[in-house]
Amino acid sequence: EGGGAEALRAELRASEDQCEALQATLAKAKEQDRQAMVRLREQLDSSRGHLQRSLREASDAQQSEVGHFEAEIRAERQRLLDISLEESISTDRLAQLRDSRERLASERNSARTQAQVEVGRCAALAEELRRLRGEVVGAEARASGSTERAARSEERCQEVKAEGERRAQELRGRIEEIWSGLRSASAGLKQGALPTEAVLPAGGGAGGYGFNPPHQ
């Protein structure tokens, strides 16, 4: 019996030692698990912070890129508006140039017509000059052929001559004005624009002797 009790006590001590060893192992395992949890939590916090920083950086970069794109879109829209405005201005300018060209063509045609009218008036004045010259020559012939009416014929001849000279002088001035107007109109046609004012005589009638149109 004494030997059996001693064996039981020895077995009990062995069991207690084994239990203490298991408790120590368990405590060590718990401590290791706690340390592992702490490390995992720290790693998780670090990963979470890194992820948050990465998300903020990505958001900032995306916002910057979006702002850059928006600025480019605004610049492109402004460029299109400028181009549209330039096209509108060019269209208006082209219309003005077209109107100016049509108006200039109309003024040129008017100048040509006016020049033709003045040429016709010059011809009429020259014909009247020749008619007056013939009247004076006829008056001189009639005066020289009649001795009885020599005095009256001479007087009439002088009057006709004086009147003819007066009218011829007047017609010379008018014809000179017409030729001056024609020269101005011709110069305007050559330069692509009308003269500011065409000089025109006020009326008809002609007279004078040996008158030649002024040279241009």
Side-chain angles (χ1 to χ4, degrees):
E1 295 179 358
E6 185 65 27
L8 289 173
R9 283 194 292 271
E11 185 177 354
L12 179 62
R13 282 194 300 272
S15 297
E16 290 176 350
D17 292 340
Q18 186 178 7
C19 182
E20 289 176 357
L22 290 174
Q23 288 178 351
T25 301
L26 179 61
K28 184 177 179 181
K30 288 181 178 180
E31 179 64 21
Q32 291 176 350
D33 290 341
R34 187 187 65 80
Q35 292 178 357
M37 289 295 294
V38 170
R39 287 194 300 273
L40 288 174
R41 187 176 293 109
E42 291 176 351
Q43 292 176 359
L44 179 61
D45 292 340
S46 176
S47 299
R48 184 182 294 111
H50 179 71
L51 178 60
Q52 290 177 349
R53 286 193 301 273
S54 299
L55 290 174
R56 283 196 299 270
E57 291 174 357
S59 177
D60 294 340
Q62 185 177 9
Q63 290 179 357
S64 176
E65 187 175 3
V66 169
H68 179 69
F69 287 154
E70 289 178 348
E72 288 184 350
I73 291 172
R74 287 193 297 270
E76 185 66 18
R77 287 177 178 173
Q78 185 62 41
R79 189 179 70 84
L80 292 176
L81 289 175
D82 294 339
I83 292 175
S84 177
L85 179 60
E86 290 178 358
E87 289 178 350
S88 177
I89 294 175
S90 298
T91 302
D92 294 340
R93 179 58 178 167
L94 182 61
Q96 292 176 0
L97 291 175
R98 188 179 295 110
D99 292 340
S100 298
R101 184 178 61 184
E102 292 176 354
R103 184 171 58 255
L104 181 58
S106 176
E107 291 175 351
R108 286 179 177 175
N109 292 333
S110 177
R112 292 190 185 97
T113 302
Q114 183 179 1
Q116 292 173 356
V117 170
E118 295 303 329
V119 169
R121 294 187 65 178
C122 286
L125 291 174
E127 181 63 29
E128 188 170 356
L129 281 173
R130 286 192 294 270
R131 184 180 61 79
L132 288 176
R133 184 184 302 169
E135 290 180 359
V136 172
V137 171
E140 289 177 346
R142 288 192 298 272
S144 62
S146 178
T147 56
E148 297 176 352
R149 296 177 297 174
R152 290 196 305 272
S153 297
E154 182 64 22
E155 182 179 359
R156 177 58 180 166
C157 183
Q158 292 299 325
E159 289 175 357
V160 171
K161 285 183 178 180
E163 179 65 15
E165 289 293 338
R166 184 186 67 78
R167 295 181 67 182
Q169 185 65 29
E170 180 181 354
L171 288 176
R172 287 192 188 98
R174 292 179 181 175
I175 291 174
E176 179 62 29
E177 291 176 354
I178 290 172
W179 278 106
S180 177
L182 288 174
R183 285 195 298 271
S184 299
S186 177
L189 289 174
K190 291 179 180 178
Q191 296 175 0
L194 287 175
T196 304
E197 180 181 0
V199 181
L200 298 177
Y209 306 90
F211 175 79
N212 291 321
H215 295 289
Q216 294 189 6

